[in-house]
């Protein structure tokens, strides 16, 4: 596909013609199928083509069985951020598949604060490669006003930092710190902060000691897959990071810009509003599939999804309205005739994983939604206009690895008094106990003597490069890492952090799953590298808007099309794509090509 050398020979005519073919079986693709049947009718036929061996895309689920205990954790998308702020189409789909957030919250009311009740707090690990020696610093037990997460004067007393570094940290978490940008108005300060990285702000404006700034080198990495060197200081202010209380910027209005396509703001603030199932948003994917292909599972309700089994061989059966074809790569998509007049679109497919597939098969759709990774679309649809191809190529995805480690017990966490640990100088920047959440028959681990899953997160920032260049370089690093290298780092890091609590990596680790996402988070616009209008407005000049224009009977979905990695963006883009197709079907005078109507 990349080199344009696809040989269109030995093509098997399947004689399969569907009302809609969806390329991509992630949340956006599943949602597109749902919206299409909702609007066009349940009798319409839909084929969903997915190159992986499971549905859900980034909404992936990991399962373990340890000493008779069934453990589940997300292997990708963790949560719904502020679902009460979801757009109407995302809200609609949650209602259609019977997601009941209030019932879920009620179910987990007693365990929601389990770790805090057990005295487990957040912590910061100083590693000897950057600081004088290894040291785990738990959050202070004092609920002081001058405290940010794990940083406070009390907590820092024994930290391996100079006195200046300690005092600088105490200063920037204080609610009464100085104004570091005197002489500028609040709007001027905000514009300056939008074009200055958080790292540079701390070093050059707030004058924080470099050994203290190193604590923030992974700031925002879990959201943007790059650290504080590529995070605009204005984003850090909106997200609640320290160093801004004296600038007179005012309060960040609740939900400020949270609905703006791009995902940079608002919902990234620390909040109790996030909702996550034990397997993250894989529960949403499973609910969607149970509605689209009811024969694949007996499970129907939200609670059923905790322990639900799926008969994968029933996902792609003849004579059912919706078929999900896993392990299948869409290679080439083209109208059967001129895009303006064609009645069908042909999709050439091959088994995923075969470097030189012996057989290429063809299916046809009266309409097609490409809900896949948008950067691949120019290769898949070579007849697209050149400007649209260029726009599709812009959004480089962020690489990230979610590693889930099943432990036979979590006594060490209990003894050390921590539930989540930030490790800004180590291989994995986050180490977290699985949230104590239950879903129906799937019960949360509550006893430190019993098994649990630990989540470890690694991003691949490459300071010194632009955000897009960091993504490309980081992806190369990720794809070059073997499982053995991951395992070595996992065992070493957990041993160093938890060893003082009695942890033994050889004895206590039961299983490891590494979820590599070389093309993970959708690209979001960044005011260090892109025009301010792209970041703070919904201008049609943004590449994602130019990229997602309909092309004949082909429409483009996926969260990439909204320049946002959030689940509600994936749903919204699916809805838009389906409506674009159905509008043209109903009103044929609507332009089939990018650039507007023919009237």
């Amino acid at each position: 596909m990349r080199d344009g050398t696809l040989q269109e020979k030995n093509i098997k005519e399947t004689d399969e013609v569907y009302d809609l073919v969806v390329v991509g079986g992630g949340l956006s693709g599943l949602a597109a199928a749902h919206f299409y049947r909702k609007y066009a009718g349940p009798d319409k036929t839909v084929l969903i083509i997915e190159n992986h061996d499971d549905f859900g895309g980034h909404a992936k689920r990991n399962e373990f069985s340890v000493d008779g205990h069934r453990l589940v954790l997300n292997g990708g998308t963790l949560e719904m951020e502020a679902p009460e702020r979801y757009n109407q189409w995302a809200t609609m789909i949650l209602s259609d598949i019977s997601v009941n957030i209030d019932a879920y919250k009620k179910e987990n009311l007693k365990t929601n604060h389990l770790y805090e009740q057990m005295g487990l707090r957040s912590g910061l690990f100083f590693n000897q490669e950057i600081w004088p020696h290894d040291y785990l610093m738990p959050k202070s037990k004092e609920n002081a006003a001058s405290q940010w997460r794990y940083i406070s004067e009390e907590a820092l007393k024994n930290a391996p930092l100079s006195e200046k570094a300690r005092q600088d940290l105490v200063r920037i978490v204080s609610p009464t710190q100085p104004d570091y940008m005197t002489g500028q108005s609040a709007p001027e300060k905000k514009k300056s902060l939008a074009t200055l990285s958080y790292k540079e702000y701390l070093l050059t404006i707030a004058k924080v000691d470099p050994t203290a700034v190193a604590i923030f080198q992974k700031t925002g990495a879990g959201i943007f897959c790059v650290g504080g060197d590529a995070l605009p200081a204005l984003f850090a202010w909106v997200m609640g990071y320290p160093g801004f209380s004296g600038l007179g910027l005012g309060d960040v209005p609740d939900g400020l810009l949270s609905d703006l396509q791009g995902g940079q703001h608002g919902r990234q603030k620390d909040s109790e509003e996030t909702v996550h199932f034990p397997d993250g948003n894989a529960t949403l994917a499973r609910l969607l599939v149970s509605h689209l292909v009811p024969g694949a599972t007996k499970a129907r309700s939200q609670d059923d999804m905790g322990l639900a089994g799926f008969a994968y061989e029933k996902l792609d059966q003849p004579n059912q309205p919706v078929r999900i074809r896993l392990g299948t790569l869409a290679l080439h998509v083209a109208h059967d005739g001129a895009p303006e007049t064609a009645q069908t679109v042909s999709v050439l497919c091959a088994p995923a994983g075969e470097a030189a597939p012996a057989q290429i098969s063809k299916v046809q759709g009266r309409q097609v939604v490409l809900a896949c990774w948008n950067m691949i679309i120019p290769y898949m649809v070579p007849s697209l206009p050149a400007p649209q191809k260029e726009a599709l190529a812009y959004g480089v995805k962020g690489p990230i690895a979610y590693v889930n480690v099943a432990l036979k017990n979590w006594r060490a966490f209990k003894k050390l008094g921590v539930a989540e640990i930030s490790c800004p100088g180590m291989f994995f920047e986050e180490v977290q106990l699985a949230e104590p959440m239950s879903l129906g028959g799937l019960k949360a681990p509550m006893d430190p003597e019993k098994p649990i899953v630990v989540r470890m997160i690694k991003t691949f920032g490459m300071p010194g490069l632009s955000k897009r260049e960091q993504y490309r370089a980081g992806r190369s690093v990720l794809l070059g890492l073997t499982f053995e290298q991951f395992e070595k780092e996992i065992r070493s890091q957990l041993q160093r952090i938890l060893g003082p609590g009695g942890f033994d990596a050889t004895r206590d680790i039961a299983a490891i799953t590494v979820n590599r996402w070389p093309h993970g988070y959708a690209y979001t616009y960044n005011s260090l590298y892109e025009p301010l209008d792209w970041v703070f407005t919904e201008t049609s000049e943004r590449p994602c808007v130019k990229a997602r224009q309909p092309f004949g009977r082909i429409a483009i979905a996926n969260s990439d099309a909204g320049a946002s990695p959030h689940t509600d963006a994936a749903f919204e883009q699916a809805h838009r794509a389906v409506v674009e197709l159905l509008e043209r079907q109903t009103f044929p005078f609507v332009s089939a090509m990018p650039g507007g109507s023919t009237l």
Side-chain angles (χ1 to χ4, degrees):
M1 293 172 68
R2 182 194 65 195
D3 298 337
T5 56
L6 177 67
Q7 297 295 312
E8 295 187 30
K9 58 183 181 181
N10 298 324
I11 295 175
K12 177 185 177 183
E13 297 282 350
T14 64
D15 298 324
E16 295 178 54
V17 182
Y18 299 87
D19 293 307
L20 178 69
V21 173
V22 179
V23 177
L27 286 178
S28 198
L30 296 172
H34 175 85
F35 284 128
Y36 185 83
R37 298 181 75 233
K38 183 182 180 76
Y39 294 154
D43 59 325
K44 298 298 182 181
T45 56
V46 180
L47 172 66
I48 300 172
I49 298 169
E50 169 56 46
N51 63 311
H52 290 99
D53 61 359
D54 203 356
F55 53 79
H58 206 287
K60 186 176 177 63
R61 170 184 174 110
N62 291 167
E63 294 191 18
F64 303 89
S65 179
V66 181
D67 297 337
H69 295 267
R70 188 171 183 178
L71 305 171
V72 171
L73 201 63
N74 65 297
T77 308
L78 170 63
E79 61 197 3
M80 293 179 281
E81 291 184 322
E84 73 280 1
R85 296 180 189 151
Y86 268 20
N87 60 71
Q88 67 184 102
W89 315 120
T91 300
M92 176 192 289
I93 209 164
L94 295 183
S95 175
D96 288 349
I97 62 177
S98 302
V99 171
N100 190 330
I101 292 173
D102 289 339
Y104 181 66
K105 287 181 176 179
K106 185 176 180 181
E107 179 183 7
N108 289 282
L109 195 60
K110 292 183 179 179
T111 61
N112 197 35
H113 299 287
L114 174 68
Y115 296 146
E116 294 94 321
Q117 293 164 359
M118 295 176 67
L120 307 188
R121 306 178 298 281
S122 58
L124 172 67
F125 189 75
F126 295 86
N127 58 297
Q128 63 184 6
E129 291 84 357
I130 295 178
W131 294 279
H133 56 82
D134 283 357
Y135 176 68
L136 175 60
M137 183 184 80
K139 178 180 178 181
S140 172
K141 293 181 180 180
E142 296 179 2
N143 189 19
S146 296
Q147 179 166 301
W148 177 83
R149 295 189 184 175
Y150 35 69
I151 296 175
S152 67
E153 187 170 12
E154 176 65 26
L156 289 166
K157 281 183 177 179
N158 297 315
L161 294 167
S162 68
E163 183 59 27
K164 180 183 185 306
R166 276 195 292 271
Q167 290 307 313
D168 283 350
L169 288 170
V170 171
R171 169 168 55 87
I172 65 170
V173 301
S174 170
T176 58
Q177 61 193 288
D179 182 352
Y180 308 119
M181 303 177 75
T182 56
Q184 295 186 51
S185 66
E188 289 171 337
K189 290 175 181 177
K190 290 176 182 178
K191 185 174 181 180
S192 295
L193 294 173
T195 55
L196 185 71
S197 76
Y198 185 46
K199 177 182 178 181
E200 202 60 26
Y201 170 78
L202 292 176
L203 286 171
T204 65
I205 306 297
K207 305 295 185 184
V208 178
D209 186 277
T211 60
V213 174
I215 291 171
F216 301 99
Q217 62 186 310
K218 287 290 187 176
T219 298
I223 299 167
F224 302 112
C225 299
V226 287
D229 66 289
L231 179 76
L234 190 67
F235 287 15
W237 168 65
V238 172
M239 294 161 64
Y241 281 92
F244 303 99
S245 66
L247 299 188
L249 301 176
D251 294 329
V252 180
D254 185 47
L256 174 68
L257 304 178
S258 62
D259 296 322
L260 180 66
Q261 289 293 320
Q264 304 95 332
H265 314 278
R267 285 175 293 183
Q268 280 70 43
K269 294 172 63 181
D270 286 342
S271 170
E272 294 296 322
E273 299 163 342
T274 60
V275 177
H276 55 83
F277 296 106
D279 61 4
N281 288 357
T283 286
L284 303 183
R286 288 154 69 83
L287 278 168
L288 276 163
V289 171
S290 74
H291 282 70
L292 293 169
V293 191
T297 181
K298 296 179 180 179
R300 293 291 180 268
S301 73
Q302 174 178 287
D303 280 352
D304 289 344
M305 293 302 135
L307 297 176
F310 282 76
Y312 281 74
E313 70 278 4
K314 294 183 179 180
L315 292 174
D316 186 16
Q317 292 292 318
N319 303 318
Q320 61 190 31
V322 180
R323 301 172 69 171
I324 301 176
R325 190 161 295 169
L326 301 176
T328 301
L329 183 67
L331 295 171
H332 189 267
V333 180
H335 289 90
D336 298 318
E340 298 88 342
T341 58
Q343 298 301 301
T344 56
V345 178
S346 288
V347 181
L348 301 185
C349 306
E354 293 187 13
Q359 184 74 65
I360 294 176
S361 59
K362 182 173 80 173
V363 298
Q364 290 177 298
R366 296 183 179 91
Q367 294 175 311
V368 171
V369 170
L370 301 179
C372 53
W373 172 37
N374 280 192
M375 279 192 74
I376 204 71
I377 292 174
Y379 305 98
M380 189 186 301
V381 192
S383 56
L384 280 172
Q388 188 170 8
K389 288 183 179 180
E390 183 180 354
L392 284 160
Y394 189 86
V396 183
K397 280 182 174 286
I400 192 168
Y402 290 108
V403 173
N404 291 328
V405 183
L407 302 183
K408 295 179 181 179
N409 65 77
W410 40 292
R411 290 190 293 261
F413 284 90
K414 179 69 168 62
K415 184 175 180 179
L416 295 171
V418 290
E420 57 179 6
I421 306 155
S422 178
C423 313
M426 300 196 78
F427 187 85
F428 295 99
E429 57 252 37
E430 293 289 338
V431 177
Q432 309 162 342
L433 285 177
E435 296 82 358
M437 309 301 285
S438 299
L439 184 63
L442 183 65
K443 300 303 180 183
M446 298 179 63
D447 184 351
E449 299 296 323
K450 302 292 177 59
I452 200 169
V453 182
V454 170
R455 178 190 298 111
M456 303 178 75
I457 300 173
K458 178 173 178 57
T459 56
F460 296 84
M462 299 288 172
L465 301 175
S466 71
K467 183 179 175 183
R468 296 166 78 224
E469 291 169 338
Q470 289 197 44
Y471 285 174
R472 291 190 177 99
R475 176 160 51 252
S476 295
V477 173
L478 170 57
L479 292 175
L481 289 168
T482 65
F483 179 84
E484 289 74 19
Q485 288 172 301
F486 270 106
E487 181 177 12
K488 180 180 178 181
E489 295 289 349
I490 291 163
R491 292 181 178 276
S492 171
Q493 187 164 339
L494 290 180
Q495 190 63 51
R496 285 173 65 178
I497 297 171
L498 303 174
F503 177 82
D504 185 317
T506 302
R507 178 193 65 209
D508 296 333
I509 293 178
I512 296 169
T513 297
V514 177
N515 302 277
R516 298 192 304 177
W517 297 103
H519 306 282
Y521 288 178
Y523 188 80
T524 59
Y525 302 123
N526 183 307
S527 54
L528 299 182
Y529 310 107
E530 280 117 8
L532 296 179
D533 283 356
W534 290 14
V535 180
F536 297 104
T537 77
E538 294 189 277
T539 173
S540 58
E541 292 304 306
R542 292 171 297 151
C544 66
V545 179
K546 296 179 178 179
R548 69 192 185 209
Q549 296 304 305
F551 179 63
R553 291 178 173 267
I554 300 170
I556 295 172
N558 189 282
S559 62
D560 291 349
S564 169
H566 298 298
T567 293
D568 56 322
F571 289 156
E572 183 177 25
Q573 295 306 316
H575 184 272
R576 175 197 47 75
V578 167
V579 168
E580 285 173 348
L581 293 175
L582 293 179
E583 280 179 341
R584 181 168 182 260
Q585 178 178 298
T586 305
F587 307 110
F589 51 79
V590 174
S591 175
M593 306 297 286
S597 109
T598 56
L599 289 181

